[in-house]
Amino acid sequence: DAKTTQPPSMDCAEGRAANLPCNHSTISGNEYVYWYRQIHSQGPQYIIHGLKNNETNEMASLIITEDRKSSTLILPHATLRDTAVYYCIVLIGTASKLTFGTGTRLQVTL
Amino acid sequence: DVKVTQSSRYLVKRTGEKVFLECVQDMDHENMFWYRQDPGLGLRLIYFSYDVKMKEKGDIPEGYSVSREKKERFSLILESASTNQTSMYLCASSLGDNLRNTEAFFGQGTRLTVV
């Protein structure tokens, strides 16, 4: 599975868009990009995933570059409850070993 | 709603004890995972299983074993607990063969302290 690189921490003002980058330059053609987040003291929670097209759901949008070497998770209107560690993961299929890096700690402030 | 239940929220064990951490899921998921989480090290995969009686080593399997005798239950075993196994342990499950539903669901975690 491809490795990912994320900044260790980011800040965002409440109400503004939070744009969380992820680099996955060694991604292969059949690997998906997944995003999870972990709010303090809870288990990680799935946010969104995609292969090559941009995706949007009720939580977030995922923008994947044309060469698929990087992606951005967008929280359009961040709230204090979005303060969490965000993990970007790439993997093939559903039986792959699901491994997490150290993620990006997003702090949303007033 | 998918539910992943870990048997204990907090556990204190003595060095050298055999420790069982149990995880049960109620959605007929094929895949199950065990992680540990330590400050500054993120979530690290210990073992995973993609079917009954099947297991694969993760990134840090040393000192651990697992058992999956039934589809809904995945047990993590510390054969002889040591203080460096003090950690938060998280279990997860996911569907095995449908790319449209590949999110993993996590339990609330077991905080294990080995004294």
Side-chain angles (χ1 to χ4, degrees):
Chain A
D1 293 333
K3 286 201 166 186
T4 62
T5 305
Q6 298 177 254
S9 64
M10 293 181 66
D11 292 328
C12 179
E14 190 176 33
R16 305 297 292 267
N19 297 285
L20 293 98
C22 180
N23 183 288
H24 32 79
S25 57
T26 60
I27 193 169
S28 62
N30 55 354
E31 286 183 308
Y32 284 71
V33 180
Y34 286 78
W35 283 84
Y36 284 77
R37 74 179 182 185
Q38 187 176 23
I39 295 169
H40 183 62
S41 299
Q42 298 181 20
Q45 174 193 25
Y46 165 85
I47 301 172
I48 198 167
H49 76 281
L51 182 63
K52 52 186 175 183
N53 297 320
N54 298 337
E55 301 287 344
T56 296
N57 63 20
E58 65 277 4
M59 288 181 70
S61 294
L62 173 61
I63 308 298
I64 303 173
T65 58
E66 196 168 337
D67 63 7
R68 301 206 330 119
K69 293 185 176 182
S70 65
S71 61
T72 301
L73 179 75
I74 300 171
L75 308 177
H77 305 287
T79 71
L80 296 177
R81 287 182 294 180
D82 292 321
T83 292
V85 178
Y86 288 78
Y87 298 97
C88 169
I89 300 158
V90 292
L91 75 163
I92 301 170
T94 60
S96 295
K97 71 184 211 185
L98 178 60
T99 54
F100 293 75
T102 51
T104 296
R105 182 171 297 276
L106 175 69
Q107 180 70 51
V108 181
T109 57
L110 289 170
Chain B
D1 277 353
V2 174
K3 197 164 184 184
V4 179
T5 304
Q6 294 183 229
S7 53
S8 304
R9 192 86 167 95
Y10 299 95
L11 211 52
V12 179
K13 296 291 182 180
R14 294 192 184 278
T15 301
E17 271 193 81
K18 189 168 186 175
V19 180
F20 291 86
L21 301 184
E22 306 286 348
C23 176
V24 177
Q25 49 93 5
D26 64 1
M27 282 299 290
D28 203 34
H29 283 171
E30 287 79 11
N31 301 330
M32 295 189 76
F33 307 83
W34 272 108
Y35 298 86
R36 64 177 283 177
Q37 185 165 33
D38 303 286
L41 296 176
L43 274 159
R44 294 181 291 168
L45 180 65
I46 305 171
Y47 268 97
F48 70 106
S49 168
Y50 53 90
D51 202 351
V52 175
K53 298 193 188 293
M54 305 302 289
K55 61 184 179 185
E56 294 278 346
K57 291 181 180 179
D59 297 319
I60 51 162
E62 296 78 20
Y64 303 94
S65 63
V66 290
S67 173
R68 187 135 181 233
E69 295 296 317
K70 293 185 177 181
K71 193 174 186 180
E72 67 271 17
R73 186 179 297 269
F74 192 35
S75 303
L76 180 69
I77 304 156
L78 287 66
E79 294 290 341
S80 177
S82 64
T83 55
N84 63 12
Q85 292 178 310
T86 291
S87 187
M88 170 69 84
Y89 290 87
L90 287 153
C91 174
S93 73
S94 68
L95 274 172
D97 59 0
N98 185 341
L99 282 175
R100 292 172 296 174
N101 295 285
T102 53
E103 62 177 293
F105 295 85
F106 282 79
Q108 282 299 97
T110 296
R111 186 165 292 282
L112 172 68
T113 302
V114 182
V115 297

